[in-house]
Amino acid sequence: MNSIEFGQLCRPFNVAYRDLFGTIPVPSEYACTREQFLKALKQAVSEKKMIETYLLKRTYHNDGRLEEE
């Protein structure tokens, strides 16, 4: 899925997530695909749990590199 399509699919869930937790999760902070992120976002909203329950955050190294998926 392209970024526009992904953004459109995430939008209503981002609003619901923000209403629940006061923040919107950033996909690039998680070690997952767009499809996995969207699935986790939907699940987080429906079960009223933080998205970290379903996804692992990316690991940042001291030199700024990201640990890849």
Side-chain angles (χ1 to χ4, degrees), residues 1 6 8 10 14-16 18 30 32 36 38 43 46 53 56-58 63 68:
M1 112 181 41
F6 176 67
Q8 290 173 341
C10 286
N14 281 337
V15 170
R18 185 197 61 216
Y30 299 91
C32 63
Q36 292 168 328
L38 181 58
Q43 192 171 6
S46 71
T53 306
L56 294 174
K57 283 207 167 202
R58 290 185 186 269
D63 62 3
E68 294 303 317

Side-chain angles (χ1 to χ4, degrees), residues 28-45:
S28 63
E29 292 182 358
Y30 299 91
C32 63
T33 64
R34 288 178 178 163
E35 290 79 7
Q36 292 168 328
F37 181 85
L38 181 58
K39 180 180 176 185
L41 181 60
K42 288 178 182 180
Q43 192 171 6
V45 169

Side-chain angles (χ1 to χ4, degrees), residues 10-25 41 44-45 48-51:
C10 286
R11 184 172 293 128
F13 298 103
N14 281 337
V15 170
Y17 192 92
R18 185 197 61 216
D19 291 345
L20 287 170
F21 303 110
T23 185
I24 295 174
L41 181 60
V45 169
K48 297 181 179 166
K49 295 182 179 178
M50 298 284 289
I51 198 166

